Amino acid sequence: MSQQLIDEITAKYLKKDVPELRPGDTVKVSVEIVEAGAQTRTQDYVGLVIAIEGHGVSETFTVRKISNGIGVERTFAVHSPRIASITVLRHGKVRRAKLNYIRGLSAKDARITERR
């Protein structure tokens, strides 16, 4: 199949309100959680974008946060229906596409300066 045909088929699944994400940005991702039965609630996940991969419908980004002194990473699909909203809180100034080195740093060393 040609790439053009694949893009036409998947175009209806793309979200229109996705902000421009870059590695180093601090984001708040609101995720819909399905609880017992048919109940759903929205939970916010605030952290640092350390990687962005893929394109189109399969685009994903990885967010890292510190929870109770332990680093927690979660990968989200940008166009997933479970994601209610993505908000960029800070724009970080970094020079790499993947920030895997953040994993080995302590809390103070892992700070990223803000982009203007």
Side-chain angles (χ1 to χ4, degrees):
M1 287 173 87
S2 69
Q3 187 63 36
Q4 183 181 5
L5 181 60
I6 293 172
D7 291 340
E8 289 176 10
I9 294 171
T10 60
K12 64 181 178 181
Y13 299 107
L14 298 177
K15 287 186 177 181
K16 306 288 189 253
D17 60 343
V18 177
E20 181 184 346
L21 294 176
R22 293 172 62 179
D25 291 351
T26 302
V27 295
K28 177 171 77 171
V29 182
S30 298
V31 184
E32 292 179 1
I33 307 292
V34 178
E35 293 184 340
Q39 294 181 347
T40 62
R41 65 181 173 88
T42 304
Q43 181 175 355
D44 292 338
Y45 193 90
V46 179
L48 179 72
V49 176
I50 62 169
I52 298 176
E53 297 179 9
H55 65 281
V57 140
S58 63
E59 184 177 5
T60 61
F61 63 102
T62 304
V63 180
R64 179 179 175 84
K65 75 173 185 175
I66 305 297
S67 179
N68 294 324
I70 298 172
V72 179
E73 292 182 9
R74 187 165 175 188
T75 302
F76 297 99
V78 173
H79 301 287
S80 170
R82 292 278 183 226
I83 294 183
S85 68
I86 302 170
T87 308
V88 178
L89 304 176
R90 290 181 72 222
H91 294 285
K93 182 179 178 184
V94 295
R95 296 172 65 176
R96 294 187 182 200
K98 303 266 196 287
L99 304 180
N100 294 325
Y101 68 92
I102 293 288
R103 295 175 178 145
L105 299 178
S106 65
K108 192 169 184 179
D109 294 334
R111 287 185 296 187
I112 294 181
T113 59
E114 191 165 0
R115 197 169 17 109
R116 300 255 174 216

